[in-house]
Amino acid sequence: QVQLVESGGGSVQPGGSLRLSCVASGRRFSGSTLGWYRQATGKQRELVARITAEGRTNYADSAMGRFSISRDFAKNTVYLQMDNLKPEDTAIYYCHAHTVVNVEGASVEAWGQGTLVTVSS
């Protein structure tokens, strides 16, 4: 059974930092694209950052220059380092895995349960 478990959320003041972690289990994720999404109250879920198996990254404009995504293949873990946090970063952050399973391009997805990040003074 595929499982993604996030941790590291919490409350922080504006300008502070948090590091989110997501441990994947249940299958090999070395070939997967791993990412972080977030959903604020009353808004749609949006991509924050993702990293491919080859290490290519892309970020939402709002995260560029403040957030950094990385992965540890040995630990099957993806991280999101968030610096200079702003109140508008307040949201539930979800870990996501996208895995292509055959040559035709069929894929499977998995989501974590989410971790709450609150940025407030």
Side-chain angles (χ1 to χ4, degrees):
Q1 181 179 353
V2 173
Q3 191 173 21
L4 303 177
V5 179
E6 303 102 332
S7 62
S11 295
V12 64
Q13 293 186 339
S17 298
L18 285 173
R19 188 192 194 208
L20 306 183
S21 301
C22 172
V23 180
S25 62
R27 65 171 295 139
R28 290 177 59 86
F29 288 91
S30 56
S32 303
T33 294
L34 301 179
W36 290 94
Y37 288 72
R38 69 186 182 188
Q39 187 166 18
T41 302
K43 295 188 177 181
Q44 289 189 325
R45 191 172 298 188
E46 62 178 3
L47 173 70
V48 177
R50 59 188 168 205
I51 182 168
T52 70
E54 296 78 21
R56 292 190 299 269
T57 59
N58 65 290
Y59 295 87
D61 288 344
S62 58
M64 195 75 69
R66 300 188 299 126
F67 295 2
S68 178
I69 189 170
S70 60
R71 64 191 293 173
D72 185 327
F73 287 97
K75 296 181 179 180
N76 243 9
T77 300
V78 61
Y79 304 96
L80 184 68
Q81 177 65 42
M82 304 187 294
D83 297 320
N84 191 20
L85 282 160
K86 303 176 180 180
E88 51 264 42
D89 295 318
T90 296
I92 299 174
Y93 284 70
Y94 297 92
C95 182
H96 176 260
H98 178 267
T99 307
V100 176
V101 296
N102 63 29
V103 295
E104 286 80 26
S107 62
V108 295
E109 294 185 281
W111 290 94
Q113 82 289 350
T115 185
L116 177 63
V117 171
T118 302
V119 185
S120 174
S121 55

